[in-house]
Amino acid sequence: DEEFDELCFEFGLELDEITSEKDIISKEKGEEKAKGASDVILYKIDVPANRYDLLCLEGLVRGLQVFKERINLPRYEKIIPAEGEGQRLIVTEQTAQIRPHAVAAVLRNVTFTKDRYDSFIDLQEKLHQNICRKRALVAIGTHDLDTISGPFTFTAKAPSEIKFKPLNQSKEYTASQIMDLYRTDSHLRHYLHLIENKPRYPVIYDSNGVVLSMPPIINGDHTKISLNTRNVFIECTGTDITKAKIVLDVIVTMFSEYCEKPFTVEAAEVVYPNGKTHIYPELAYRTEKVKPEYINKKVGISETPSSLAKLLTRMCLKSHVTGNGNHIEVEIPPTRADIIHACDIVEDAAIAYGYNNIQMVIPKTYTIANQLPLNKLAELLRLDLAAAGFTEALTFALCSQEDIADKLGMDISATNAVRIANPKTAEFQVARTTLLPGLLKTIAANRKMPLPLKLFEISDIVVKDPNRDVGARNYRHLCAIYYNKSPGFEIIHGLLDRVMQLLEVPPNEENGYTIKAAEGTAFFPGRCAEVFAKGQSIGKLGVVHPDVITKFELTMPCSALEINIEPFV
């Protein structure tokens, strides 16, 4: 087990855990439920999401064997049958609106055993969940070719016109009945929505009108594969032709090793509505050229070109050095759809070299992280506000429209608030434009606490700003509130003076701060002042208006201060 764990790690995989069906069930549902479950040891292996060729045992073993240099990478061959003898899949124009693309191939003289069969079905399921995006982009159908006769037709019909016996069912159903039948099926119900509301459903027939499948829901029972199946017809239909080709390539390359002539696939011809034909599977090999020094530089190693080529060959990328050693020619097999750019080749070279074998060096660029000045200021202010006897509160950045407008006696259009397009609850409709409602709600939730309540918060507020690329901007505000039997304006005024003292802003007009009488809808008339500092208005303080107090379900008077601290950074 330890050796295998090591091997997986070297190959860039992770052996998650060694367990058994019994262990899994007893962990999830308890010992009782696990009775009678299998004790067979299972390896849970984490495979990168882009390595579709490692999603089944065949591919994984093949990859590891090549990596260990026990076998050479097999060469996948496409056999094109003689004129008129191959299988044809004819796509009609009715499919254009639903699932316009189809690809197909044939595996000849396959020998299935129970394990191979299970692996074959399992790979299809894993591909469906992964690259096929739960069958939305591609749906795979595999059929016993000896039970049907081509050419095959991929078309779309009204649900009432489609009638067949679905896989593992005992009688025939129309397509609409099939939808009802599987609505309660834990596995298939998740795919019904893909075609449910379409006027026509996709369907594949053979030349005698036998239904092979109704993608992406279910195959017909007639073409069911068994352990005795010798010839397999594979079709992939979908909305994304590139993904369909990749899926077909992966399935045929993985399971062609069980054909009489290993690693050979019989091609099939797909005829499009415009009369054009195409041969699938593509099984395309392509070559890329990479400079050895590019690989060495990116990975941070200094290997010779020939040893780099050897490393890449171990990763199923057959490589050799060309042009007096200044290039490596890499052949990318059809199994490796994840190789898109030179950096993917570099990554494989690094894996084969072994991440643990790369020497650690100090980076050439030397930087030290630093706290954002605004955050540093906010942290320092928090400490001193707490020292002044105020308790810090942290409230939600989202609130309802009433909180920032109606309850404060303003109109929502005047607040310049950023709205949420489809809010889940009435509590989270807009981003807050002021911190005051959050603190008033906090007091309302803590009315049972002994008086006086002294709270503060230093956080961001959000307002619309057409000049910003995102259409909005944040401001860091400081808000403090005092709630008692008397308004306590002098306490809040004293706090403002203390904050300014800490910020070393003197109380004068030239280069300091001043307060001037003002009006604010949230404040009591004649008990409100605007704070000016650094030549600009930075906020207000005053006694909160009785209407605002009652709207927030409070009973005592309170006074508040809210200023923008960004000018002091």
Side-chain angles (χ1 to χ4, degrees):
D1 286 347
E2 280 170 14
E3 278 182 72
F4 185 66
D5 191 9
E6 280 287 294
L7 176 62
C8 282
F9 182 78
E10 284 169 19
F11 191 57
L13 307 175
E14 191 181 345
L15 180 59
D16 224 9
E17 59 173 329
I18 298 169
T19 178
S20 69
E21 227 167 84
K22 197 169 190 174
D23 286 353
I24 296 171
I25 297 172
S26 67
K27 257 186 211 163
E28 288 174 4
K29 299 177 182 168
E31 298 274 320
E32 280 301 304
K33 290 270 198 315
K35 279 182 182 161
S38 157
D39 279 341
V40 178
I41 298 292
L42 297 177
Y43 284 177
K44 268 191 168 176
I45 302 171
D46 258 352
V47 175
N50 58 355
R51 288 297 300 269
Y52 316 114
D53 55 315
L54 304 179
L55 286 177
C56 63
L57 191 66
E58 288 72 12
L60 187 62
V61 169
R62 199 179 302 162
L64 289 170
Q65 293 275 43
V66 173
F67 182 68
K68 298 279 282 177
E69 299 180 82
R70 290 182 181 168
I71 59 168
N72 287 329
L73 182 65
R75 183 94 196 166
Y76 306 105
E77 241 185 289
K78 170 165 71 177
I79 294 174
I80 297 179
E83 186 68 38
E85 282 183 20
Q87 299 301 332
R88 272 170 54 225
L89 177 60
I90 298 157
V91 182
T92 66
E93 64 251 353
Q94 282 87 346
T95 60
Q97 303 308 315
I98 315 160
R99 292 182 92 76
H101 303 294
V103 297
V106 177
L107 291 178
R108 283 278 173 200
N109 301 324
V110 180
T111 311
F112 277 123
T113 61
K114 177 85 179 78
D115 289 340
R116 292 173 184 184
Y117 175 81
D118 290 345
S119 176
F120 187 56
I121 300 301
D122 198 39
L123 173 66
Q124 292 175 48
E125 202 34 59
K126 287 201 172 77
L127 289 170
H128 272 152
Q129 295 309 319
N130 179 347
I131 181 176
C132 304
R133 296 286 176 276
K134 302 208 164 89
R135 304 193 189 177
L137 302 181
V138 187
I140 310 160
T142 51
H143 312 278
D144 187 333
L145 186 57
D146 301 325
T147 61
I148 42 183
S149 59
F152 306 101
T153 311
F154 174 40
T155 183
K157 288 191 167 184
S160 54
E161 292 175 25
I162 303 170
K163 193 171 185 192
F164 67 102
K165 187 161 115 186
L167 193 61
N168 301 331
Q169 296 292 333
S170 52
K171 62 183 187 110
E172 290 199 348
Y173 295 88
T174 65
S176 339
Q177 289 167 332
I178 289 173
M179 290 307 224
D180 296 332
L181 177 70
Y182 290 127
R183 222 174 285 291
T184 52
D185 185 292
S186 62
H187 175 63
L188 291 174
R189 63 162 193 239
H190 305 296
Y191 309 120
L192 301 184
H193 70 93
L194 294 171
I195 60 169
E196 198 166 20
N197 301 322
K198 301 277 197 297
R200 290 162 173 262
Y201 290 179
V203 60
I204 300 176
Y205 291 100
D206 82 343
S207 56
N208 301 325
V210 174
V211 172
L212 275 69
S213 68
M214 182 173 86
I217 311 299
I218 189 86
N219 286 352
D221 194 65
H222 183 89
T223 60
K224 182 163 76 176
I225 290 180
S226 68
L227 296 185
N228 305 323
T229 299
R230 297 285 290 150
N231 300 307
V232 181
F233 179 66
I234 303 166
E235 41 81 9
C236 301
T237 59
T239 52
D240 183 325
I241 185 70
T242 311
K243 299 255 191 310
K245 288 179 194 171
I246 293 172
V247 168
L248 185 67
D249 277 352
V250 169
I251 293 178
V252 297
T253 50
M254 292 303 115
F255 287 90
S256 53
E257 80 171 71
Y258 301 136
C259 293
E260 203 168 3
K261 271 184 77 182
F263 307 116
T264 60
V265 185
E266 183 183 308
E269 189 178 28
V270 175
V271 185
Y272 292 108
N274 60 9
K276 288 193 174 147
T277 64
H278 202 296
I279 304 283
Y280 292 105
E282 290 198 336
L283 287 189
Y285 282 88
R286 68 175 211 274
T287 54
E288 297 281 343
K289 280 190 175 171
V290 192
K291 287 195 159 101
E293 56 267 28
Y294 176 77
I295 300 179
N296 279 331
K297 187 179 165 204
K298 291 282 180 211
V299 182
I301 52 179
S302 49
E303 291 290 291
T304 62
S306 57
S307 75
L308 286 173
K310 197 174 168 198
L311 291 176
L312 289 169
T313 304
R314 285 177 58 203
M315 294 299 289
C316 301
L317 299 173
K318 203 167 159 202
S319 308
H320 59 273
V321 184
T322 61
N324 54 31
N326 52 16
H327 276 103
I328 297 175
E329 202 167 88
V330 185
E331 182 180 58
I332 290 136
T335 45
R336 293 300 304 273
D338 60 300
I339 305 282
I340 297 167
H341 181 273
C343 65
D344 297 311
I345 296 172
V346 173
E347 181 191 16
D348 271 10
I351 291 171
Y353 184 80
Y355 284 157
N356 289 345
N357 301 328
I358 299 170
Q359 292 295 311
M360 293 211 183
V361 290
I362 291 172
K364 292 205 170 50
T365 48
Y366 192 63
T367 56
I368 299 172
N370 219 335
Q371 196 176 8
L372 204 64
L374 179 61
N375 288 345
K376 193 171 180 183
L377 174 67
E379 286 295 330
L380 292 167
L381 279 172
R382 282 189 181 112
L383 286 173
D384 280 296
L385 285 169
F390 282 73
T391 304
E392 182 170 22
L394 281 171
T395 61
F396 288 120
L398 298 177
C399 57
S400 67
Q401 293 193 14
E402 282 85 56
D403 290 345
I404 56 166
D406 309 355
K407 289 184 180 177
L408 298 181
M410 285 175 74
D411 185 54
I412 186 74
S413 56
T415 59
N416 226 356
V418 176
R419 291 188 192 190
I420 306 288
N422 46 351
K424 275 274 169 71
T425 67
E427 281 299 291
F428 298 144
Q429 294 170 322
V430 291
R432 60 183 173 193
T433 55
T434 160
L435 301 178
L436 186 60
L439 288 183
L440 288 167
K441 279 154 84 174
T442 306
I443 288 178
N446 291 281
R447 279 175 301 205
K448 294 192 177 70
M449 301 297 276
L451 294 174
L453 286 174
K454 298 155 80 173
L455 298 182
F456 80 92
E457 179 170 14
I458 301 179
S459 288
D460 281 0
I461 60 114
V462 185
V463 289
K464 281 186 190 163
D465 181 353
N467 304 324
R468 299 296 290 270
D469 56 345
V470 289
R473 69 178 299 152
N474 293 11
Y475 289 102
R476 186 70 50 93
H477 274 202
L478 175 159
C479 183
I481 201 161
Y482 177 82
Y483 179 74
N484 202 356
K485 292 192 172 77
S486 65
F489 179 77
E490 65 286 349
I491 289 174
I492 283 293
H493 190 181
L495 184 74
L496 173 70
D497 290 347
R498 172 69 180 140
V499 168
M500 291 301 167
Q501 186 185 10
L502 290 165
L503 293 169
E504 296 181 359
V505 180
N508 61 40
E509 280 208 24
E510 281 78 56
N511 54 358
Y513 76 101
T514 53
I515 61 172
K516 291 178 183 161
E519 289 302 319
T521 52
F523 296 102
F524 200 82
R527 296 268 196 291
C528 170
E530 195 162 4
V531 186
F532 290 89
K534 307 238 174 174
Q536 57 179 324
S537 162
I538 58 161
K540 289 192 171 110
L541 79 158
V543 178
V544 178
H545 199 293
D547 290 352
V548 176
I549 289 173
T550 45
K551 280 178 183 161
F552 280 97
E553 298 167 14
L554 299 175
T555 49
M556 307 269 182
C558 73
S559 47
L561 153 78
E562 180 159 4
I563 58 169
N564 174 12
I565 61 169
E566 293 195 4
F568 305 107
V569 175

